[in-house]
Short mmCIF file of all heavy atoms in Angstrom, two decimals:
data_model
loop_
_atom_site.label_atom_id
_atom_site.label_comp_id
_atom_site.label_asym_id
_atom_site.label_seq_id
_atom_site.Cartn_x
_atom_site.Cartn_y
_atom_site.Cartn_z
N MET A 701 -13.31 -199.83 -35.89
CA MET A 701 -13.76 -201.16 -35.52
C MET A 701 -13.83 -202.08 -36.71
O MET A 701 -13.51 -203.24 -36.63
CB MET A 701 -15.14 -201.04 -34.83
CG MET A 701 -15.63 -202.32 -34.27
SD MET A 701 -14.58 -202.82 -32.89
CE MET A 701 -15.38 -204.27 -32.36
N VAL A 702 -14.23 -201.52 -37.87
CA VAL A 702 -14.33 -202.33 -39.09
C VAL A 702 -12.95 -202.86 -39.49
O VAL A 702 -12.81 -204.02 -39.88
CB VAL A 702 -14.96 -201.49 -40.23
CG1 VAL A 702 -14.91 -202.25 -41.54
CG2 VAL A 702 -16.39 -201.14 -39.87
N ASP A 703 -11.93 -202.02 -39.36
CA ASP A 703 -10.58 -202.45 -39.68
C ASP A 703 -10.10 -203.57 -38.76
O ASP A 703 -9.44 -204.51 -39.19
CB ASP A 703 -9.59 -201.28 -39.58
CG ASP A 703 -9.81 -200.25 -40.68
OD1 ASP A 703 -10.34 -200.63 -41.74
OD2 ASP A 703 -9.45 -199.08 -40.46
N PHE A 704 -10.48 -203.48 -37.48
CA PHE A 704 -10.11 -204.51 -36.51
C PHE A 704 -10.76 -205.85 -36.86
O PHE A 704 -10.11 -206.89 -36.85
CB PHE A 704 -10.51 -204.06 -35.10
CG PHE A 704 -10.18 -205.06 -34.05
CD1 PHE A 704 -8.86 -205.33 -33.71
CD2 PHE A 704 -11.20 -205.74 -33.36
CE1 PHE A 704 -8.56 -206.27 -32.72
CE2 PHE A 704 -10.90 -206.65 -32.39
CZ PHE A 704 -9.57 -206.93 -32.06
N VAL A 705 -12.04 -205.84 -37.20
CA VAL A 705 -12.76 -207.06 -37.58
C VAL A 705 -12.16 -207.64 -38.86
O VAL A 705 -11.97 -208.86 -38.96
CB VAL A 705 -14.27 -206.80 -37.71
CG1 VAL A 705 -14.97 -207.99 -38.31
CG2 VAL A 705 -14.87 -206.45 -36.36
N GLU A 706 -11.84 -206.79 -39.82
CA GLU A 706 -11.22 -207.28 -41.06
C GLU A 706 -9.87 -207.91 -40.79
O GLU A 706 -9.51 -208.91 -41.41
CB GLU A 706 -11.09 -206.13 -42.08
CG GLU A 706 -12.40 -205.70 -42.66
CD GLU A 706 -13.17 -206.81 -43.36
OE1 GLU A 706 -12.55 -207.59 -44.11
OE2 GLU A 706 -14.39 -206.90 -43.16
N ARG A 707 -9.11 -207.36 -39.87
CA ARG A 707 -7.80 -207.93 -39.52
C ARG A 707 -7.98 -209.29 -38.85
O ARG A 707 -7.21 -210.21 -39.09
CB ARG A 707 -7.05 -206.96 -38.59
CG ARG A 707 -5.72 -207.46 -38.16
CD ARG A 707 -4.74 -207.54 -39.33
NE ARG A 707 -3.45 -207.94 -38.85
CZ ARG A 707 -2.73 -208.90 -39.40
NH1 ARG A 707 -3.15 -209.52 -40.47
NH2 ARG A 707 -1.57 -209.23 -38.91
N LEU A 708 -8.99 -209.45 -38.02
CA LEU A 708 -9.23 -210.74 -37.38
C LEU A 708 -9.68 -211.79 -38.39
O LEU A 708 -9.37 -212.97 -38.23
CB LEU A 708 -10.28 -210.61 -36.28
CG LEU A 708 -9.84 -209.95 -34.98
CD1 LEU A 708 -11.02 -209.77 -34.05
CD2 LEU A 708 -8.75 -210.74 -34.31
N LYS A 709 -10.42 -211.37 -39.42
CA LYS A 709 -10.88 -212.31 -40.44
C LYS A 709 -9.80 -212.71 -41.42
O LYS A 709 -9.90 -213.75 -42.05
CB LYS A 709 -12.05 -211.71 -41.22
CG LYS A 709 -13.31 -211.60 -40.44
CD LYS A 709 -14.42 -211.01 -41.29
CE LYS A 709 -15.71 -210.87 -40.52
NZ LYS A 709 -16.76 -210.25 -41.36
N ASP A 710 -8.75 -211.90 -41.54
CA ASP A 710 -7.67 -212.17 -42.47
C ASP A 710 -6.94 -213.45 -42.07
O ASP A 710 -6.56 -213.62 -40.91
CB ASP A 710 -6.70 -210.99 -42.48
CG ASP A 710 -5.64 -211.11 -43.54
OD1 ASP A 710 -5.79 -211.95 -44.45
OD2 ASP A 710 -4.67 -210.34 -43.48
N SER A 711 -6.74 -214.35 -43.02
CA SER A 711 -6.12 -215.64 -42.67
C SER A 711 -4.60 -215.58 -42.62
O SER A 711 -3.97 -216.56 -42.28
CB SER A 711 -6.54 -216.71 -43.67
OG SER A 711 -6.07 -216.37 -44.96
N SER A 712 -4.01 -214.42 -42.94
CA SER A 712 -2.56 -214.33 -42.77
C SER A 712 -2.22 -214.38 -41.29
O SER A 712 -3.05 -214.07 -40.44
CB SER A 712 -2.02 -213.05 -43.42
OG SER A 712 -2.58 -211.93 -42.80
N SER A 713 -1.00 -214.76 -41.01
CA SER A 713 -0.66 -215.05 -39.62
C SER A 713 -0.56 -213.80 -38.74
O SER A 713 -0.10 -212.76 -39.17
CB SER A 713 0.64 -215.82 -39.54
OG SER A 713 1.71 -215.03 -40.00
N LEU A 714 -1.05 -213.94 -37.53
CA LEU A 714 -0.81 -212.99 -36.45
C LEU A 714 0.06 -213.74 -35.45
O LEU A 714 -0.23 -214.88 -35.12
CB LEU A 714 -2.11 -212.62 -35.73
CG LEU A 714 -3.06 -211.68 -36.43
CD1 LEU A 714 -4.35 -211.59 -35.63
CD2 LEU A 714 -2.46 -210.32 -36.57
N VAL A 715 1.11 -213.15 -34.99
CA VAL A 715 2.09 -213.80 -34.12
C VAL A 715 2.65 -215.01 -34.84
O VAL A 715 3.38 -214.87 -35.80
CB VAL A 715 1.51 -214.10 -32.72
CG1 VAL A 715 2.60 -214.59 -31.80
CG2 VAL A 715 0.84 -212.89 -32.10
N CYS A 716 2.29 -216.22 -34.46
CA CYS A 716 2.81 -217.39 -35.18
C CYS A 716 1.71 -218.12 -35.95
O CYS A 716 1.94 -219.19 -36.48
CB CYS A 716 3.55 -218.32 -34.23
SG CYS A 716 2.56 -219.02 -32.95
N GLY A 717 0.55 -217.55 -36.05
CA GLY A 717 -0.49 -218.10 -36.92
C GLY A 717 -1.21 -219.34 -36.40
O GLY A 717 -1.83 -220.06 -37.17
N VAL A 718 -1.16 -219.62 -35.13
CA VAL A 718 -1.78 -220.81 -34.57
C VAL A 718 -3.29 -220.78 -34.78
O VAL A 718 -3.89 -221.75 -35.24
CB VAL A 718 -1.45 -220.99 -33.09
CG1 VAL A 718 -2.26 -222.11 -32.46
CG2 VAL A 718 0.02 -221.26 -32.91
N SER A 719 -3.92 -219.68 -34.49
CA SER A 719 -5.37 -219.57 -34.64
C SER A 719 -5.79 -219.72 -36.10
O SER A 719 -6.78 -220.41 -36.41
CB SER A 719 -5.89 -218.25 -34.10
OG SER A 719 -5.59 -218.14 -32.73
N ALA A 720 -5.06 -219.10 -37.00
CA ALA A 720 -5.38 -219.20 -38.43
C ALA A 720 -5.21 -220.63 -38.92
O ALA A 720 -6.04 -221.14 -39.68
CB ALA A 720 -4.51 -218.26 -39.24
N ALA A 721 -4.16 -221.29 -38.49
CA ALA A 721 -3.92 -222.69 -38.90
C ALA A 721 -4.99 -223.60 -38.33
O ALA A 721 -5.44 -224.53 -39.01
CB ALA A 721 -2.53 -223.14 -38.45
N MET A 722 -5.39 -223.37 -37.09
CA MET A 722 -6.42 -224.19 -36.47
C MET A 722 -7.78 -223.98 -37.16
O MET A 722 -8.50 -224.94 -37.40
CB MET A 722 -6.53 -223.86 -34.98
CG MET A 722 -6.99 -224.99 -34.13
SD MET A 722 -6.56 -224.73 -32.42
CE MET A 722 -7.98 -223.86 -31.84
N ALA A 723 -8.08 -222.76 -37.49
CA ALA A 723 -9.33 -222.45 -38.20
C ALA A 723 -9.33 -223.12 -39.56
O ALA A 723 -10.34 -223.68 -39.99
CB ALA A 723 -9.51 -220.95 -38.33
N ASP A 724 -8.20 -223.09 -40.25
CA ASP A 724 -8.09 -223.71 -41.57
C ASP A 724 -8.21 -225.23 -41.47
O ASP A 724 -8.89 -225.87 -42.28
CB ASP A 724 -6.78 -223.34 -42.23
CG ASP A 724 -6.64 -223.87 -43.62
OD1 ASP A 724 -7.60 -223.68 -44.41
OD2 ASP A 724 -5.62 -224.50 -43.92
N LYS A 725 -7.59 -225.81 -40.47
CA LYS A 725 -7.60 -227.26 -40.29
C LYS A 725 -9.02 -227.78 -40.07
O LYS A 725 -9.41 -228.80 -40.62
CB LYS A 725 -6.71 -227.63 -39.10
CG LYS A 725 -6.84 -229.03 -38.60
CD LYS A 725 -6.26 -230.03 -39.57
CE LYS A 725 -6.40 -231.43 -38.97
NZ LYS A 725 -6.39 -232.42 -39.98
N PHE A 726 -9.79 -227.12 -39.23
CA PHE A 726 -11.12 -227.60 -38.86
C PHE A 726 -12.25 -226.86 -39.58
O PHE A 726 -13.41 -227.03 -39.22
CB PHE A 726 -11.30 -227.50 -37.34
CG PHE A 726 -10.33 -228.35 -36.58
CD1 PHE A 726 -9.30 -227.79 -35.87
CD2 PHE A 726 -10.45 -229.74 -36.59
CE1 PHE A 726 -8.40 -228.58 -35.17
CE2 PHE A 726 -9.56 -230.54 -35.90
CZ PHE A 726 -8.53 -229.95 -35.18
N ASP A 727 -11.92 -226.02 -40.56
CA ASP A 727 -12.90 -225.22 -41.31
C ASP A 727 -13.75 -224.34 -40.41
O ASP A 727 -14.97 -224.26 -40.56
CB ASP A 727 -13.80 -226.11 -42.18
CG ASP A 727 -13.03 -226.72 -43.33
OD1 ASP A 727 -12.12 -226.06 -43.84
OD2 ASP A 727 -13.38 -227.87 -43.71
N TRP A 728 -13.11 -223.70 -39.44
CA TRP A 728 -13.78 -222.77 -38.54
C TRP A 728 -13.55 -221.35 -39.04
O TRP A 728 -12.69 -221.09 -39.87
CB TRP A 728 -13.22 -222.88 -37.13
CG TRP A 728 -13.46 -224.19 -36.45
CD1 TRP A 728 -14.39 -225.11 -36.76
CD2 TRP A 728 -12.72 -224.70 -35.33
NE1 TRP A 728 -14.29 -226.18 -35.91
CE2 TRP A 728 -13.28 -225.97 -35.03
CE3 TRP A 728 -11.66 -224.24 -34.59
CZ2 TRP A 728 -12.81 -226.75 -34.00
CZ3 TRP A 728 -11.20 -225.02 -33.55
CH2 TRP A 728 -11.77 -226.26 -33.25
N SER A 729 -14.31 -220.43 -38.51
CA SER A 729 -14.12 -219.02 -38.81
C SER A 729 -12.82 -218.55 -38.15
O SER A 729 -12.62 -218.74 -36.95
CB SER A 729 -15.28 -218.21 -38.26
OG SER A 729 -14.98 -216.83 -38.25
N CYS A 730 -11.97 -217.93 -38.95
CA CYS A 730 -10.69 -217.45 -38.44
C CYS A 730 -10.89 -216.39 -37.35
O CYS A 730 -10.22 -216.39 -36.33
CB CYS A 730 -9.85 -216.91 -39.58
SG CYS A 730 -8.14 -216.62 -39.16
N MET A 731 -11.86 -215.50 -37.56
CA MET A 731 -12.11 -214.45 -36.60
C MET A 731 -12.54 -215.02 -35.25
O MET A 731 -11.98 -214.65 -34.22
CB MET A 731 -13.19 -213.50 -37.11
CG MET A 731 -13.45 -212.36 -36.16
SD MET A 731 -14.75 -211.27 -36.74
CE MET A 731 -16.06 -211.74 -35.66
N TRP A 732 -13.50 -215.94 -35.25
CA TRP A 732 -13.99 -216.47 -33.98
C TRP A 732 -12.98 -217.37 -33.30
O TRP A 732 -12.94 -217.43 -32.08
CB TRP A 732 -15.34 -217.16 -34.18
CG TRP A 732 -16.40 -216.15 -34.46
CD1 TRP A 732 -17.06 -215.97 -35.63
CD2 TRP A 732 -16.86 -215.14 -33.57
NE1 TRP A 732 -17.93 -214.89 -35.53
CE2 TRP A 732 -17.81 -214.37 -34.27
CE3 TRP A 732 -16.55 -214.78 -32.26
CZ2 TRP A 732 -18.46 -213.28 -33.69
CZ3 TRP A 732 -17.21 -213.70 -31.69
CH2 TRP A 732 -18.16 -212.98 -32.40
N THR A 733 -12.15 -218.05 -34.07
CA THR A 733 -11.10 -218.85 -33.47
C THR A 733 -10.11 -217.95 -32.73
O THR A 733 -9.69 -218.26 -31.61
CB THR A 733 -10.36 -219.67 -34.54
OG1 THR A 733 -11.31 -220.45 -35.27
CG2 THR A 733 -9.33 -220.58 -33.92
N ARG A 734 -9.78 -216.82 -33.33
CA ARG A 734 -8.88 -215.87 -32.68
C ARG A 734 -9.53 -215.24 -31.45
O ARG A 734 -8.86 -215.04 -30.44
CB ARG A 734 -8.46 -214.79 -33.67
CG ARG A 734 -7.48 -215.31 -34.67
CD ARG A 734 -7.06 -214.26 -35.66
NE ARG A 734 -5.98 -214.77 -36.49
CZ ARG A 734 -5.75 -214.38 -37.71
NH1 ARG A 734 -6.52 -213.46 -38.26
NH2 ARG A 734 -4.76 -214.89 -38.41
N VAL A 735 -10.81 -214.96 -31.53
CA VAL A 735 -11.50 -214.36 -30.37
C VAL A 735 -11.53 -215.37 -29.20
O VAL A 735 -11.24 -215.01 -28.06
CB VAL A 735 -12.93 -213.92 -30.77
CG1 VAL A 735 -13.76 -213.57 -29.54
CG2 VAL A 735 -12.89 -212.74 -31.72
N VAL A 736 -11.83 -216.61 -29.49
CA VAL A 736 -11.87 -217.65 -28.44
C VAL A 736 -10.49 -217.84 -27.82
O VAL A 736 -10.34 -217.94 -26.61
CB VAL A 736 -12.43 -218.98 -28.99
CG1 VAL A 736 -12.21 -220.11 -28.03
CG2 VAL A 736 -13.91 -218.82 -29.32
N CYS A 737 -9.45 -217.86 -28.65
CA CYS A 737 -8.08 -217.99 -28.13
C CYS A 737 -7.73 -216.79 -27.25
O CYS A 737 -7.11 -216.97 -26.18
CB CYS A 737 -7.08 -218.11 -29.27
SG CYS A 737 -7.15 -219.69 -30.10
N ALA A 738 -8.10 -215.61 -27.66
CA ALA A 738 -7.80 -214.41 -26.85
C ALA A 738 -8.54 -214.45 -25.52
O ALA A 738 -7.96 -214.11 -24.48
CB ALA A 738 -8.19 -213.17 -27.63
N VAL A 739 -9.79 -214.89 -25.51
CA VAL A 739 -10.56 -215.00 -24.27
C VAL A 739 -9.95 -216.05 -23.36
O VAL A 739 -9.82 -215.84 -22.15
CB VAL A 739 -12.04 -215.30 -24.56
CG1 VAL A 739 -12.79 -215.68 -23.30
CG2 VAL A 739 -12.69 -214.09 -25.22
N ALA A 740 -9.54 -217.19 -23.92
CA ALA A 740 -8.92 -218.24 -23.12
C ALA A 740 -7.62 -217.75 -22.49
O ALA A 740 -7.36 -218.01 -21.31
CB ALA A 740 -8.66 -219.47 -23.98
N ILE A 741 -6.82 -217.02 -23.24
CA ILE A 741 -5.57 -216.51 -22.69
C ILE A 741 -5.84 -215.41 -21.65
O ILE A 741 -5.14 -215.33 -20.64
CB ILE A 741 -4.66 -216.00 -23.83
CG1 ILE A 741 -4.17 -217.20 -24.63
CG2 ILE A 741 -3.49 -215.19 -23.29
CD1 ILE A 741 -3.43 -216.83 -25.89
N PHE A 742 -6.88 -214.62 -21.88
CA PHE A 742 -7.24 -213.59 -20.90
C PHE A 742 -7.70 -214.20 -19.58
O PHE A 742 -7.36 -213.73 -18.51
CB PHE A 742 -8.31 -212.67 -21.47
CG PHE A 742 -8.75 -211.60 -20.52
CD1 PHE A 742 -7.94 -210.50 -20.28
CD2 PHE A 742 -9.97 -211.69 -19.87
CE1 PHE A 742 -8.35 -209.51 -19.40
CE2 PHE A 742 -10.37 -210.71 -18.99
CZ PHE A 742 -9.56 -209.61 -18.74
N CYS A 743 -8.51 -215.28 -19.65
CA CYS A 743 -9.07 -215.90 -18.45
C CYS A 743 -8.00 -216.65 -17.64
O CYS A 743 -8.04 -216.65 -16.42
CB CYS A 743 -10.20 -216.84 -18.82
SG CYS A 743 -11.65 -215.98 -19.40
N ASN A 744 -7.11 -217.34 -18.32
CA ASN A 744 -6.07 -218.10 -17.65
C ASN A 744 -4.79 -218.00 -18.45
O ASN A 744 -4.51 -218.85 -19.29
CB ASN A 744 -6.51 -219.56 -17.47
CG ASN A 744 -5.57 -220.34 -16.59
OD1 ASN A 744 -4.50 -219.87 -16.26
ND2 ASN A 744 -5.99 -221.53 -16.21
N PRO A 745 -4.00 -216.95 -18.25
CA PRO A 745 -2.85 -216.69 -19.10
C PRO A 745 -1.82 -217.82 -19.16
O PRO A 745 -1.35 -218.16 -20.23
CB PRO A 745 -2.22 -215.43 -18.49
CG PRO A 745 -3.29 -214.80 -17.69
CD PRO A 745 -4.19 -215.91 -17.25
N ALA A 746 -1.50 -218.42 -18.04
CA ALA A 746 -0.47 -219.46 -18.04
C ALA A 746 -0.90 -220.67 -18.86
O ALA A 746 -0.17 -221.16 -19.73
CB ALA A 746 -0.13 -219.86 -16.61
N MET A 747 -2.11 -221.16 -18.60
CA MET A 747 -2.58 -222.34 -19.31
C MET A 747 -2.88 -222.01 -20.77
O MET A 747 -2.61 -222.82 -21.66
CB MET A 747 -3.84 -222.91 -18.63
CG MET A 747 -4.19 -224.28 -19.10
SD MET A 747 -2.88 -225.47 -18.84
CE MET A 747 -3.16 -225.91 -17.17
N GLY A 748 -3.41 -220.83 -21.02
CA GLY A 748 -3.70 -220.42 -22.39
C GLY A 748 -2.44 -220.30 -23.23
O GLY A 748 -2.39 -220.76 -24.38
N LEU A 749 -1.40 -219.71 -22.68
CA LEU A 749 -0.15 -219.57 -23.43
C LEU A 749 0.55 -220.92 -23.61
O LEU A 749 1.13 -221.19 -24.66
CB LEU A 749 0.78 -218.58 -22.73
CG LEU A 749 0.35 -217.13 -22.83
CD1 LEU A 749 1.25 -216.24 -21.98
CD2 LEU A 749 0.37 -216.66 -24.28
N LEU A 750 0.45 -221.78 -22.62
CA LEU A 750 1.01 -223.13 -22.77
C LEU A 750 0.31 -223.87 -23.91
O LEU A 750 0.97 -224.45 -24.77
CB LEU A 750 0.89 -223.90 -21.46
CG LEU A 750 1.40 -225.33 -21.49
CD1 LEU A 750 2.91 -225.34 -21.74
CD2 LEU A 750 1.06 -226.05 -20.19
N ALA A 751 -1.01 -223.82 -23.91
CA ALA A 751 -1.77 -224.49 -24.99
C ALA A 751 -1.45 -223.86 -26.34
O ALA A 751 -1.32 -224.57 -27.35
CB ALA A 751 -3.26 -224.39 -24.69
N TYR A 752 -1.30 -222.55 -26.37
CA TYR A 752 -1.00 -221.85 -27.63
C TYR A 752 0.34 -222.32 -28.20
O TYR A 752 0.45 -222.62 -29.38
CB TYR A 752 -0.97 -220.35 -27.35
CG TYR A 752 -0.87 -219.49 -28.58
CD1 TYR A 752 -1.99 -219.18 -29.31
CD2 TYR A 752 0.36 -219.00 -29.00
CE1 TYR A 752 -1.91 -218.38 -30.44
CE2 TYR A 752 0.45 -218.20 -30.12
CZ TYR A 752 -0.68 -217.91 -30.84
OH TYR A 752 -0.60 -217.13 -31.95
N PHE A 753 1.36 -222.41 -27.38
CA PHE A 753 2.66 -222.82 -27.86
C PHE A 753 2.73 -224.32 -28.19
O PHE A 753 3.42 -224.73 -29.12
CB PHE A 753 3.75 -222.42 -26.88
CG PHE A 753 4.00 -220.94 -26.89
CD1 PHE A 753 3.76 -220.18 -25.76
CD2 PHE A 753 4.39 -220.28 -28.05
CE1 PHE A 753 3.95 -218.80 -25.78
CE2 PHE A 753 4.59 -218.92 -28.08
CZ PHE A 753 4.37 -218.18 -26.94
N VAL A 754 1.99 -225.14 -27.45
CA VAL A 754 1.90 -226.56 -27.81
C VAL A 754 1.24 -226.71 -29.17
O VAL A 754 1.72 -227.48 -30.02
CB VAL A 754 1.14 -227.35 -26.72
CG1 VAL A 754 0.76 -228.74 -27.21
CG2 VAL A 754 1.98 -227.45 -25.46
N LEU A 755 0.17 -225.98 -29.40
CA LEU A 755 -0.48 -226.03 -30.73
C LEU A 755 0.45 -225.50 -31.82
O LEU A 755 0.42 -225.99 -32.94
CB LEU A 755 -1.79 -225.23 -30.69
CG LEU A 755 -2.93 -225.91 -29.94
CD1 LEU A 755 -4.11 -224.96 -29.81
CD2 LEU A 755 -3.36 -227.17 -30.64
N ALA A 756 1.26 -224.51 -31.49
CA ALA A 756 2.21 -223.99 -32.47
C ALA A 756 3.20 -225.06 -32.92
O ALA A 756 3.63 -225.10 -34.07
CB ALA A 756 2.95 -222.79 -31.91
N LEU A 757 3.53 -225.96 -32.00
CA LEU A 757 4.43 -227.06 -32.35
C LEU A 757 3.72 -228.21 -33.04
O LEU A 757 4.30 -228.88 -33.90
CB LEU A 757 5.14 -227.56 -31.09
CG LEU A 757 6.05 -226.56 -30.39
CD1 LEU A 757 6.54 -227.12 -29.06
CD2 LEU A 757 7.21 -226.20 -31.28
N VAL A 758 2.47 -228.49 -32.68
CA VAL A 758 1.75 -229.66 -33.18
C VAL A 758 1.04 -229.38 -34.51
O VAL A 758 1.00 -230.27 -35.37
CB VAL A 758 0.72 -230.13 -32.12
CG1 VAL A 758 -0.18 -231.21 -32.68
CG2 VAL A 758 1.46 -230.65 -30.90
N LEU A 759 0.48 -228.20 -34.70
CA LEU A 759 -0.33 -227.91 -35.88
C LEU A 759 0.40 -228.11 -37.21
O LEU A 759 -0.22 -228.58 -38.15
CB LEU A 759 -0.93 -226.52 -35.81
CG LEU A 759 -2.18 -226.41 -34.94
CD1 LEU A 759 -2.65 -224.97 -34.86
CD2 LEU A 759 -3.30 -227.27 -35.47
N PRO A 760 1.67 -227.79 -37.36
CA PRO A 760 2.31 -228.05 -38.65
C PRO A 760 2.30 -229.52 -39.04
O PRO A 760 2.31 -229.85 -40.22
CB PRO A 760 3.75 -227.54 -38.46
CG PRO A 760 3.64 -226.50 -37.39
CD PRO A 760 2.54 -227.00 -36.49
N LYS A 761 2.23 -230.40 -38.08
CA LYS A 761 2.16 -231.83 -38.37
C LYS A 761 0.78 -232.28 -38.81
O LYS A 761 0.62 -233.37 -39.32
CB LYS A 761 2.60 -232.63 -37.14
CG LYS A 761 4.05 -232.38 -36.76
CD LYS A 761 4.39 -233.09 -35.46
CE LYS A 761 5.83 -232.97 -35.10
NZ LYS A 761 6.32 -231.75 -34.63
N TRP A 762 -0.24 -231.44 -38.61
CA TRP A 762 -1.61 -231.76 -38.97
C TRP A 762 -2.04 -231.22 -40.32
O TRP A 762 -3.19 -231.22 -40.64
CB TRP A 762 -2.58 -231.17 -37.94
CG TRP A 762 -2.59 -231.82 -36.61
CD1 TRP A 762 -1.97 -232.95 -36.24
CD2 TRP A 762 -3.31 -231.35 -35.47
NE1 TRP A 762 -2.22 -233.20 -34.92
CE2 TRP A 762 -3.04 -232.24 -34.43
CE3 TRP A 762 -4.12 -230.26 -35.23
CZ2 TRP A 762 -3.57 -232.08 -33.17
CZ3 TRP A 762 -4.66 -230.10 -33.97
CH2 TRP A 762 -4.37 -231.02 -32.96
N GLU A 763 -1.12 -230.67 -41.09
CA GLU A 763 -1.48 -230.03 -42.33
C GLU A 763 -2.26 -230.96 -43.25
O GLU A 763 -1.98 -232.15 -43.33
CB GLU A 763 -0.24 -229.50 -43.05
CG GLU A 763 0.38 -228.32 -42.33
CD GLU A 763 1.57 -227.79 -43.09
OE1 GLU A 763 1.88 -228.28 -44.19
OE2 GLU A 763 2.23 -226.88 -42.53
N LYS A 764 -3.22 -230.37 -43.94
CA LYS A 764 -4.05 -231.14 -44.89
C LYS A 764 -3.22 -231.54 -46.10
O LYS A 764 -2.46 -230.74 -46.62
CB LYS A 764 -5.23 -230.29 -45.38
CG LYS A 764 -6.21 -229.92 -44.37
CD LYS A 764 -7.31 -229.09 -45.01
CE LYS A 764 -8.29 -228.56 -44.02
NZ LYS A 764 -9.29 -227.70 -44.65
N PRO A 765 -3.35 -232.78 -46.55
CA PRO A 765 -2.71 -233.15 -47.82
C PRO A 765 -3.47 -232.52 -48.98
O PRO A 765 -4.68 -232.58 -49.01
CB PRO A 765 -2.79 -234.67 -47.85
CG PRO A 765 -3.90 -235.01 -46.95
CD PRO A 765 -4.01 -233.91 -45.93
N TYR A 766 -2.78 -231.91 -49.91
CA TYR A 766 -3.43 -231.27 -51.05
C TYR A 766 -3.29 -232.08 -52.30
O TYR A 766 -2.39 -232.59 -52.70
CB TYR A 766 -2.91 -229.86 -51.27
CG TYR A 766 -3.32 -228.93 -50.17
CD1 TYR A 766 -2.46 -228.57 -49.16
CD2 TYR A 766 -4.61 -228.43 -50.13
CE1 TYR A 766 -2.83 -227.72 -48.14
CE2 TYR A 766 -5.00 -227.57 -49.12
CZ TYR A 766 -4.11 -227.22 -48.15
OH TYR A 766 -4.51 -226.38 -47.15
#
């Protein structure tokens, strides 16, 4: 279980990294952002996956200027 929690906290990308990018953009916890995304997709797979892929397309345009 500890390894699973550490993997969720890791900011490197899982799948296409939407949750990690969203957590970084809004300064949220990467682990809890991934948990919320997983719950949303579990509760309503079609709408959750649609939102996930829309965010995958939109989030690169929201990158923070460094």
Side-chain angles (χ1 to χ4, degrees):
M701 186 67 177
V702 173
D703 291 335
F704 179 68
V705 171
E706 288 302 317
R707 179 67 177 132
L708 285 175
K709 289 181 181 178
D710 187 14
S711 64
S712 61
S713 65
L714 285 173
V715 187
C716 62
V718 171
S719 299
M722 209 160 89
D724 183 50
K725 167 71 178 156
F726 297 109
D727 290 328
W728 295 340
S729 166
C730 192
M731 182 182 105
W732 289 111
T733 306
R734 286 180 173 151
V735 169
V736 168
C737 288
V739 169
I741 290 172
F742 179 75
C743 290
N744 189 348
M747 193 58 83
L749 288 174
L750 178 65
Y752 188 83
F753 288 117
V754 167
L755 286 172
L757 296 173
V758 172
L759 279 176
K761 296 175 175 73
W762 288 352
E763 290 182 3
K764 295 179 185 177
Y766 291 101

